[in-house]
Amino acid sequence: MRLAAWCLAACVAGLPTAAAAAEYVAIPGGPFRSALSADGAAVRLAAYRLRAAPVTNAEFLSFVKANPAWRRGRALALYANEGYLAAW
């Protein structure tokens, strides 16, 4: 669940919660070479902003309530495995 919460931090920022006031830091763009790349080629990443603090459980719960597609059993397997929201 932590990965899903981290990936959705930007989406949560649009909700009427403390996430809207969360601090984001600028991440510069540039070349990125992944160890997982079959050919070793670098790709160019655009600059983006990343939330400085993790999304809280309360913020993620608000997000899930507002976005039914992210509820347990409905989220895509790419983002949520069998343990997704298991503690909830």
Side-chain angles (χ1 to χ4, degrees), residues 33-63:
R33 188 177 313 275
S34 171
L36 302 176
S37 174
D39 61 4
V43 296
R44 177 139 184 91
L45 297 180
Y48 61 98
R49 297 179 58 78
L50 181 67
R51 188 168 160 163
V55 174
T56 66
N57 280 341
E59 290 167 339
F60 194 66
L61 178 59
S62 293
F63 171 82

Side-chain angles (χ1 to χ4, degrees), residues 2-29:
R2 289 183 187 184
L3 177 61
W6 177 81
C7 292
L8 296 170
C11 296
V12 175
L15 296 174
T17 67
E23 181 181 339
Y24 287 76
V25 293
I27 307 297

